Amino acid sequence: MTVTKSTSTIPSRSIPLPSPLQTSARGTPFERSVWALTCQIPPGSFSTYAILAARLKSSPRAVGNALRRNPFAPAVPCHRVVATGGTLGGFKGKIARRDGEGITLQEKRTLLRKEGVKFDAVSGKVLGTPFTAFV
C-alpha cells in the first residue's frame, strides 16, 4: 500500500504557496499553514497574532511559536505580525527586554518601516488597522 503525504493543509481556494513552501517540506502542517497565511499580508501592512489565530482556529501563542520557527524569513514575512495592542511582540524567537526593546525588535521595526508601516512617536506602537482580508 502506498501512502501519499500531503505537504500542506492549506485549502485549495487559498493563494498559491510562496516558493520556499513549494520546494521545502520543512515545518509541521500547522506551522506551514501559519507561514502561508502570513504570506498573504501585503508589504506595508501588518496583522496580529490573534487575527491569524482566529483564522486558523488556534491560539496567538501557537501562531507566535510557529512564526518563531520560520526558516524562510523574509520570504515568509513574519515581521508583519504584531501583538494585538500594536506592540511588536517578539521577533526571531526573542521578546523585548524590560526596557521594551532589543536588537531583534529594532530589526523588526526597521523592516516594517522600510515597507511603509508607521509607528507612534511616543509609544512606539504600530499605527493603522491590521490586515484581515485573508483568503
Side-chain angles (χ1 to χ4, degrees):
M1 177 167 96
T2 304
V3 176
T4 304
K5 181 181 175 189
S6 172
T7 58
S8 174
T9 61
I10 308 304
S12 59
R13 69 186 185 327
S14 66
I15 63 171
L17 291 175
S19 60
L21 293 178
Q22 291 174 7
T23 58
S24 173
R26 291 181 72 177
T28 67
F30 176 74
E31 289 170 344
R32 293 175 65 79
S33 66
V34 171
W35 301 337
L37 196 61
T38 302
C39 289
Q40 293 183 37
I41 304 169
S45 298
F46 65 93
S47 195
T48 69
Y49 300 103
I51 290 170
L52 271 68
R55 177 80 169 120
L56 295 167
K57 296 178 178 37
S58 184
S59 73
R61 182 171 295 195
V63 168
N65 284 333
L67 292 174
R68 178 175 55 86
R69 291 188 287 273
N70 171 18
F72 304 113
V76 174
C78 54
H79 63 278
R80 295 183 190 148
V81 183
V82 301
T84 297
T87 59
L88 293 180
F91 190 55
K92 292 185 173 180
K94 309 285 186 211
I95 56 172
R97 297 186 312 242
R98 285 192 178 162
D99 65 4
E101 199 52 59
I103 186 76
T104 58
L105 293 183
Q106 291 169 358
E107 183 180 355
K108 184 173 184 174
R109 182 176 285 111
T110 298
L111 288 167
L112 289 168
R113 278 193 174 127
K114 283 181 181 177
E115 292 182 354
V117 174
K118 304 291 184 205
F119 290 85
D120 181 82
V122 176
S123 70
K125 294 181 179 181
V126 175
L127 296 173
T129 304
F131 178 81
T132 58
F134 295 103
V135 176

